[in-house]
Amino acid sequence: MEIELVEVQANEKMVLTNLIEKYLYEFSQWEKTDVNADGNYGYEYLDCYFEEENRYPYFIKVDGTLAGFVMISDYPEVPEEKTGYCLSE
């Protein structure tokens, strides 16, 4: 089994959006969130991952097949001397 992280390209943003919607749906029962008027949960920081240098969206692929995603930033949740990156989603 080969597992790889592949950086999401701008032309793949809709694929990432679709995965994020499923992710947000799963968390909605604990976060007590609901869909907007368009029927989506929406991820307010999505555009930032394609516009800011310190955010990194990746697809997770297993044996070449899309299996998920990961969103990484360099906005650490703990003091910077302990870590340089944060797993955002």
Side-chain angles (χ1 to χ4, degrees):
M1 177 187 320
E2 180 183 0
I3 300 172
E4 60 183 328
L5 292 179
V6 179
E7 187 173 2
V8 178
Q9 301 302 308
N11 65 339
E12 301 171 307
K13 187 175 177 182
M14 186 54 67
V15 176
L16 180 59
T17 299
N18 291 336
L19 291 173
I20 289 173
E21 282 297 315
K22 291 165 181 61
Y23 167 79
L24 293 173
Y25 166 76
E26 291 295 326
F27 275 95
S28 68
Q29 61 184 316
W30 294 288
E31 297 288 326
K32 305 298 183 211
T33 55
D34 207 349
V35 296
N36 61 25
D38 294 326
N40 296 310
Y41 291 92
Y43 184 70
E44 66 180 301
Y45 301 108
L46 182 62
D47 289 337
C48 297
Y49 281 86
F50 295 92
E51 297 168 358
E52 296 179 11
E53 293 183 18
N54 56 344
R55 295 180 192 259
Y56 315 95
Y58 290 94
F59 287 132
I60 301 169
K61 292 193 174 185
V62 177
D63 294 332
T65 301
L66 184 59
F69 70 95
V70 61
M71 311 285 273
I72 300 169
S73 73
D74 68 0
Y75 296 111
E77 299 290 326
V78 296
E80 287 188 35
E81 63 271 3
K82 296 184 181 192
T83 185
Y85 296 94
C86 175
L87 181 61
S88 301
E89 309 294 344

